[in-house]
Amino acid sequence: MTRNAAPAEVHAKGIAMNMLNDILNQDLDPVETREWTDALGAVINADGAERAHYLLERMVDATRRSGGHLPFSPTTEYVNTIPPHLEAKMPGDPTMEWRIRCLIRWNAMAMVVRANRKPGELGGHIASFASSATLYDVGFNHFWRAPSDSHPGDLIFHQGHSSPGVYARSFLEGRIAEDQMDLFRMEVAGKGRGLASYPHPWLMPDYWQVPTVSMGLGPLQAIYQAHFWKYLENRGLIPKSDRKVWCFVGDGESDEPESLGAISLAGREKLDNLIFVINCNLQRLDGPVRGNGKIIQELEGVFRGAGWNALKVVWGSYWDPLLAQDRDGVLRKLMMETVDGEYQACKAFGGAYTREHFFGKYPETLELVRNLSDDDIWRLNRGGHDPHKVYAAYHAAVNTQGMPTVILAKTVKGYGMGAAGESLNPTHQQKKLDADAVRHFRDRFRIPIADDKVEDVPYYNPGKDSPEVKYMLERRAALGGFLPQRRRKSATFVAPELSAFEQITKSSGEREISTTMAFVRGINLLLRDKAIGPRIVPIVADEARTFGMEGMFRQIGIYAPEGQKYRPQDADQLMYYREDIKGQVLQEGISEPGAMSAWMAAASSYSISDVPMLPFYIYYSMFGFQRVGDLCWAAGDMRARGFLVGGTAGRTTLNGEGLQHEDGHSHLLAGAIPNCRAYDPTFSYEVAVILQDGVRRMLAEQEDCYYYVTVMNENYTHPEMPRSDVKGGVEAAIIKGMYLFRDGDDAMPAGSPTAAAVSDKQGKGDVPETDGPAPRETTAGAKETVQAGAEKSAASRSAAPQKNGAPQKNGAPQKNGAPQKNGAPQKNGKNSRIPRVQLLGSGTILREVIAAAELLENEFGVVCDIWSCPSFSELRKDGFDAERWNRLHPEETQRVPYVTACLAERQGPAIAATDYVREYADQIRAFMPDGKKYTVLGTDGYGRSDTRENLRRFFEVDRWYIAQAAISALAAEGKMTTKDVARAIKTWKLNGEKPNPASV
């Protein structure tokens, strides 16, 4: 067929060719097929598409009932979902909006290019926003509402790499000054005015709302934000509205498991307040997303299968006449056959290439473009660059009810960059443009910059009185104000006094409970508070019963957007599984990322919805920071407020579960997040103090921090909170991270385990406890035993020369000849010859430390001061803060780290033991008083299954290993002998030849 063939001849031959294809494709009766399709067309014309869909469904159903096999196809043709005659018409001034879009494109490009002409290789991205400018522009001009008196506002998850375009719009609006544009990625030099590389609320707290650039986290968070908004509406905490969560996603980003992992939840809960816009520019960072396939078709099938309304915006308006002429479907067929790698090449190589390698595949399609020049073919636009097509899709999305919507918009990566990057594989990394490329960009988008200025890549702002800026401001005013914007503060609440938690600050008596149960009791006490109670959001990833939370099922109900449509199996039980549309518990199924995202939605509700909430996400501690650490980091970035509760914590406390479950390092991961306050309490009163402090900071004082608290499933009795004369009392010391649980010269507090107690109680309550404030009953009083043992030990040592001839420590000269601090004698100096140690611990291992103190006192005459250290992380922060101050302020009064102040006047070496790796307690080594030896025991190595007693012996953190470490440290200081060390090893049957637990 020649290009000059008559149209009638071409059409006739096309029909014949299609009939031949039908025969070859095993259509037994092509004529009948055409009759059916013509009849369906008549139904559509007469009664509409819905009637046609109904008839088709009935026919499909009849075929299946007769035994016919109908393969399911979740995809549709590779054309726009909304045909031209059904498109909502875009209001406003399209020409003006194109002009504004050009200015934004230029300034976004200029920002990145100028930044990368400076020393330092600041980086940045041009191509991503270049491909999505129209997608953002239509939203800003027509759809996205800011918070106002009349509307709660929409939430936009911007694609992180497109941030230059958002800044460029704010520049034209007058929100960002021109000199500030040159502070892109210069946040230190900018002194508070710098522009963050990507959306970061921590760095720009009045601007960005949510962090998104860690790919995959934006889509996941967006789903759970929409989910949480419905939760707030159904619980009556916010009025129902038409606000939307809009999430921009890259097609390559969809490969992240988090991107698509929760889309079924959105479909299942019919989240019609959620809209995904996937920018399908067909390229990821290195090359095609699906070079051998079609990413739009793939995503359409995935989302439709999950119950979403999928809208494809594949082709721009210039394609409409061609598709209208495609009466026999050959162009549609070609569009389906062509893979993304070929589509990318067409945009990279131009119109002539596209004529030959795309349209030239079929005579019919080649004929369709016979009257188009190569330039005309190159201008055939993709749907994502056509504001009219984008508007129609957005309009359909915001008016869709009963299901979430995904918009699959086809674009060109690097649009407008020409030979410097348009549709080229390396374009994502392109951040520098030469003079020719800049000139091409200027000409293409008609920017009024003179030739002698263009190489400087100046910003261009037509001014606040220009038609362009006036139009922008009018559009934003009509939509409630500027976006993005972030709310810093919300309503405040009065935190309950510590006395409100009296149930868990008092002694548990003979009743044994775990810190998990203490924490859950604390939550229940908060639920009784009339103001704060409704703001509490308990969140679990399925195992509420493990954490003793099943009582909440009936008390406050499990949130279910459709209520409970069935009678639960345990309906006759007191604590039955009750689902309710007004339920307060969020049970997110077996999905830690999902539960964490729900927690983040609740924890940021004060800012996003002006509704302060206090979420508690309780989970296996091993499956927290280790599994969802990226989300935990993002939570800090977005200034989340709430409690993360790591249950069944500790490497030896969660006995029996083994290597993958036993957590020994979550506190190290939590400690790396600057605004996360991490605690490992031992006793219920510590839990109460931490809980009350968190409520005060986050709800009353609105501090941008969140808490991580590890709680255990080991049951034991809990003493009453001790009193203290120190300023702020024990409460303040607990929050700082360390307090004196027992002075060695005093009796052991009630509830302390004895040395004879079985370590692995397993909840049976068979562990003997001390009788209370009176001294233990031994063959002599505790002090007498210690005194006699010390005098005997001191006498034996005085007869022998000291190692290396060094004088006895605590004699006149100190190490390095340094005098005692401030010239003051150490505490209990009158008994300076008595061996004394400082024992530190946290969590359940503190109880081993307490038991070790009794072993040392009764069997070796060592006096033991016992310190509870609920947070080595907080101690570390305090210590390095003091160290930094002192280093930078040499002429000011020097600050004393809290650890140093606690131990400065305490004799003897310090021994710390926890249920975590040694590095956790080792964080405070730098703040030990000068000359104080510090030994740390921990659970380095992989966990394993066994009893608590055996695990603690294996990891060398039980009372006997702790006591032996103390004797070894005393011997190193000359307070005891190596024979004492050997005797301890033999007496307590410690195996010095067994492998290091960290290595096996």
Side-chain angles (χ1 to χ4, degrees):
M1 183 181 296
T2 66
R3 292 184 61 185
N4 297 320
E9 178 186 355
V10 171
H11 181 63
K13 291 185 176 180
I15 293 175
M17 181 63 70
N18 282 334
M19 294 182 67
L20 177 60
N21 287 336
D22 287 337
I23 295 171
L24 293 175
N25 290 330
Q26 299 181 342
D27 186 341
L28 300 178
D29 193 340
V31 175
E32 182 185 37
T33 301
R34 183 167 296 278
E35 290 174 353
W36 276 94
T37 56
D38 289 345
L40 185 64
V43 171
I44 293 173
N45 291 331
D47 301 318
E50 289 187 6
R51 174 62 178 167
H53 181 265
Y54 173 79
L55 293 174
L56 288 172
E57 288 293 324
R58 292 298 299 269
M59 286 189 283
V60 167
D61 184 62
T63 304
R64 285 185 174 140
R65 287 176 179 275
S66 67
H69 173 67
L70 294 177
F72 171 69
S73 176
T75 60
T76 61
E77 284 189 307
Y78 198 64
V79 294
N80 295 348
T81 305
I82 304 173
H85 68 283
L86 294 179
E87 292 173 358
K89 302 307 177 185
M90 188 174 77
D93 185 340
T95 302
M96 179 62 71
E97 292 186 18
W98 177 83
R99 178 70 185 146
I100 292 169
R101 196 156 51 248
C102 291
L103 297 179
I104 293 173
R105 287 181 182 277
W106 171 266
N107 288 318
M109 177 276 294
M111 169 187 277
V112 176
V113 171
R114 289 168 67 93
N116 286 278
R117 289 183 176 180
K118 301 172 185 176
E121 295 292 331
L122 291 173
H125 303 276
I126 301 172
S128 292
F129 179 73
S131 67
S132 58
T134 304
L135 301 176
Y136 284 101
D137 196 51
V138 173
F140 275 117
N141 286 332
H142 300 286
F143 291 95
W144 300 338
R145 294 151 301 183
S148 65
D149 293 338
S150 60
H151 196 275
D154 297 316
L155 175 61
I156 317 301
F157 283 78
H158 301 84
Q159 200 175 355
H161 295 105
S162 295
S163 59
V166 183
Y167 294 139
R169 168 172 280 272
S170 294
F171 167 61
L172 293 180
E173 292 171 338
R175 301 177 67 197
I176 295 178
E178 182 170 331
D179 68 315
Q180 199 175 358
M181 293 284 279
D182 278 336
L183 295 176
F184 176 56
R185 295 193 170 210
M186 297 190 69
E187 294 162 272
V188 176
K191 298 179 180 179
R193 300 181 68 242
L195 301 179
S197 54
Y198 305 117
H200 293 299
W202 185 261
L203 301 172
M204 298 179 68
D206 297 313
Y207 193 83
W208 295 116
Q209 290 184 280
V210 285
T212 58
V213 79
S214 185
M215 287 191 283
L217 300 195
L220 183 64
Q221 290 181 68
I223 290 170
Y224 282 90
Q225 284 284 355
H227 165 67
F228 190 70
W229 285 4
K230 292 287 189 180
Y231 168 90
L232 291 176
E233 289 179 357
N234 287 325
R235 288 193 56 212
L237 293 172
I238 61 173
K240 293 187 176 183
S241 71
D242 63 349
R243 68 192 302 215
K244 305 291 183 184
V245 177
W246 293 74
C247 182
F248 282 77
V249 190
D251 51 355
E253 185 179 3
S254 67
D255 285 338
E256 292 281 3
E258 294 90 345
S259 293
L260 304 181
I263 63 172
S264 61
L265 178 141
R268 182 171 67 249
E269 295 195 353
K270 303 178 175 60
L271 298 181
D272 51 13
N273 58 346
L274 176 64
I275 299 169
F276 273 20
V277 180
I278 302 186
N279 177 19
C280 298
N281 58 36
L282 313 186
Q283 293 177 243
R284 50 178 174 236
L285 277 63
D286 289 332
V289 177
R290 295 289 186 274
N292 296 309
K294 302 169 86 65
I295 187 61
I296 288 179
Q297 296 299 96
E298 179 182 320
L299 291 174
E300 179 191 25
V302 170
F303 278 93
R304 291 186 70 201
W308 288 54
N309 172 37
L311 300 176
K312 293 192 292 193
V313 186
V314 184
W315 309 111
S317 299
Y318 293 145
W319 286 89
D320 288 346
L322 297 180
L323 287 166
Q325 296 174 50
D326 182 38
R327 299 181 183 86
D328 301 312
V330 181
L331 178 57
R332 287 173 169 78
K333 179 175 183 291
L334 174 59
M335 289 173 168
M336 284 290 288
E337 293 173 344
T338 304
V339 296
D340 286 351
E342 293 180 287
Y343 281 122
Q344 180 186 348
C346 287
K347 277 302 177 185
F349 298 133
Y353 178 92
T354 304
R355 184 191 301 276
E356 178 183 355
H357 294 278
F358 178 74
F359 290 106
K361 289 185 177 182
Y362 291 100
E364 297 90 337
T365 54
L366 188 61
E367 178 61 25
L368 285 174
V369 296
R370 179 169 65 90
N371 296 322
L372 298 183
S373 68
D374 290 344
D375 287 342
D376 291 334
I377 291 175
W378 183 79
R379 278 193 290 269
L380 290 171
N381 55 341
R382 292 183 178 176
H385 297 298
D386 188 323
H388 301 279
K389 302 293 185 183
V390 173
Y391 180 90
Y394 284 9
H395 183 273
V398 298
N399 287 286
T400 295
Q401 296 183 354
M403 62 196 314
T405 295
V406 60
I407 296 168
L408 302 168
K410 190 175 183 181
T411 64
V412 178
K413 191 156 190 174
Y415 181 87
M417 295 174 67
E422 189 158 348
S423 201
L424 305 182
N425 279 340
T427 190
H428 185 82
Q429 285 77 21
Q430 186 65 275
K431 53 187 68 70
K432 297 179 180 180
L433 298 181
D434 60 25
D436 288 340
V438 172
R439 193 173 290 108
H440 168 83
F441 202 101
R442 178 202 62 179
D443 295 342
R444 182 163 179 177
F445 296 112
R446 304 180 190 177
I447 308 300
I449 294 176
D451 286 339
D452 61 341
K453 301 290 185 182
V454 73
E455 290 191 31
D456 296 332
V457 202
Y459 300 114
Y460 182 77
N461 189 331
K464 63 181 181 180
D465 294 325
S466 66
E468 295 91 345
V469 173
K470 284 184 175 180
Y471 184 91
M472 293 177 69
L473 297 180
E474 288 170 1
R475 293 308 311 142
R476 289 314 312 159
L479 292 167
F482 293 123
L483 284 176
Q485 60 169 280
R486 182 181 176 277
R487 180 186 293 106
R488 286 198 187 205
K489 303 291 183 182
S490 187
T492 59
F493 292 82
V494 176
E497 298 294 331
L498 186 60
S499 57
F501 298 91
E502 186 178 20
Q503 284 189 19
I504 52 176
T505 58
K506 296 291 186 182
S507 168
S508 67
E510 296 183 358
R511 184 178 181 187
E512 297 181 346
I513 64 169
S514 65
T515 48
T516 302
M517 290 309 302
F519 204 99
V520 172
R521 284 186 185 178
I523 297 175
N524 279 313
L525 292 172
L526 286 173
L527 285 167
R528 298 177 188 176
D529 188 291
K530 292 183 179 179
I532 294 176
R535 308 286 172 160
I536 302 299
V537 186
I539 302 172
V540 290
D542 193 47
E543 290 202 64
R545 298 181 192 277
T546 298
F547 307 118
M549 296 175 64
E550 62 270 29
M552 294 183 184
F553 292 170
R554 180 171 182 176
Q555 177 188 354
I556 56 177
I558 300 164
Y559 172 68
E562 295 182 344
Q564 192 160 30
K565 300 178 179 179
Y566 65 97
R567 184 178 187 275
Q569 173 271 325
D570 55 356
D572 57 343
Q573 301 295 314
L574 178 63
M575 295 179 286
Y576 69 93
Y577 195 85
R578 182 172 74 87
E579 297 185 82
D580 194 311
I581 192 171
K582 294 183 180 295
Q584 199 162 343
V585 177
L586 282 176
Q587 190 170 69
E588 300 297 356
I590 306 175
S591 171
E592 286 83 4
M596 182 64 194
S597 296
W599 180 88
M600 292 169 71
S604 60
S605 179
Y606 75 93
S607 175
I608 290 171
S609 298
D610 200 17
V611 180
M613 305 296 287
L614 190 63
F616 293 82
Y617 171 30
I618 306 179
Y619 55 89
Y620 273 72
S621 65
M622 190 66 161
F623 304 138
F625 286 86
Q626 176 162 297
R627 175 165 290 189
V628 294
D630 204 0
L631 285 166
C632 296
W633 184 260
D637 186 353
M638 74 190 302
R639 299 170 179 262
R641 302 172 186 170
F643 285 91
L644 295 178
V645 186
T648 59
R651 186 145 287 162
T652 69
T653 305
L654 178 59
N655 56 302
E657 288 295 307
L659 185 151
Q660 190 62 48
H661 287 70
E662 292 172 350
D663 166 37
H665 52 276
S666 65
H667 275 283
L668 291 180
L669 302 176
I673 298 173
N675 52 332
C676 175
R677 303 176 65 92
Y679 291 91
D680 183 38
T682 304
F683 299 118
S684 59
Y685 64 80
E686 295 176 354
V687 170
V689 169
I690 295 165
L691 188 54
Q692 192 273 343
D693 182 71
V695 175
R696 176 183 59 81
R697 288 180 188 270
M698 294 184 287
L699 283 186
E701 299 175 4
Q702 299 201 51
E703 182 178 332
D704 291 336
C705 66
Y706 69 86
Y707 281 61
Y708 175 56
V709 184
T710 45
V711 293
M712 278 66 71
N713 64 335
E714 183 174 357
N715 295 321
Y716 47 83
T717 59
H718 295 249
E720 188 166 340
M721 184 166 67
R723 299 181 182 275
S724 174
D725 296 330
V726 178
K727 183 179 180 181
V730 171
E731 300 98 306
I734 289 170
I735 297 305
K736 288 180 179 179
M738 179 178 181
Y739 69 95
L740 184 63
F741 175 76
R742 178 256 189 166
D743 188 300
D745 295 325
D746 299 332
M748 196 74 76
S752 305
T754 66
V758 177
S759 175
D760 188 15
K761 304 191 313 181
Q762 311 292 15
K764 297 178 182 177
D766 56 357
V767 180
E769 306 290 343
T770 58
D771 296 327
R776 296 183 196 80
E777 295 182 0
T778 58
T779 54
K783 286 191 177 182
E784 287 78 0
T785 302
V786 171
Q787 178 72 36
E791 290 176 352
K792 180 178 179 181
S793 179
S796 64
R797 287 193 297 273
S798 65
Q802 293 300 311
K803 187 175 181 181
N804 299 324
Q808 175 66 40
K809 190 170 182 181
N810 294 325
Q814 292 296 311
K815 186 175 181 182
N816 300 323
Q820 289 297 319
K821 183 178 179 183
N822 299 324
Q826 293 222 351
K827 184 168 182 177
N828 301 312
K830 64 181 181 180
N831 293 322
S832 60
R833 292 184 177 182
I834 301 174
R836 195 179 192 101
V837 293
Q838 307 301 312
L839 300 182
L840 288 65
S842 72
T844 55
I845 299 302
L846 175 61
R847 302 180 70 252
E848 294 296 318
V849 168
I850 295 168
E854 186 174 339
L855 287 172
L856 289 166
E857 293 176 354
N858 290 347
E859 301 189 30
F860 285 85
V862 177
V863 179
C864 303
D865 297 330
I866 303 173
W867 298 84
S868 176
C869 299
S871 182
F872 286 97
S873 301
E874 288 298 304
L875 295 174
R876 173 187 178 277
K877 291 176 185 177
D878 169 84
F880 279 114
D881 186 59
E883 180 273 335
R884 176 183 175 275
W885 167 269
N886 295 339
R887 178 164 38 84
L888 298 175
H889 301 82
E891 297 180 338
E892 302 286 341
T893 301
Q894 298 291 277
R895 297 178 180 177
V896 180
Y898 181 65
V899 171
T900 310
C902 288
L903 299 177
E905 297 183 8
R906 294 278 170 177
Q907 292 181 13
I911 315 296
T914 73
D915 215 2
Y916 300 89
V917 294
R918 293 182 184 223
E919 190 177 349
Y920 175 53
D922 206 55
Q923 294 179 103
I924 64 171
R925 180 178 297 278
F927 316 117
M928 287 291 136
D930 290 344
K932 186 173 289 294
K933 183 177 177 60
Y934 185 47
T935 303
V936 175
L937 303 181
T939 55
D940 297 63
Y942 286 116
R944 55 204 65 211
S945 302
D946 214 310
T947 64
R948 294 189 185 111
E949 182 180 22
N950 289 342
L951 288 172
R952 288 167 185 169
R953 173 56 62 105
F954 172 81
F955 283 107
E956 302 169 7
V957 293
D958 64 11
R959 60 199 65 182
W960 296 281
Y961 272 101
I962 295 168
Q964 188 272 336
I967 295 171
S968 178
L970 287 165
E973 292 189 348
K975 288 289 187 139
M976 299 186 78
T977 68
T978 54
K979 289 184 178 180
D980 293 323
V981 181
R983 179 163 71 88
I985 293 173
K986 181 177 180 180
T987 301
W988 296 327
K989 299 179 181 178
L990 307 183
N991 182 6
E993 301 305 316
K994 77 181 185 73
N996 185 333
S999 66
V1000 294

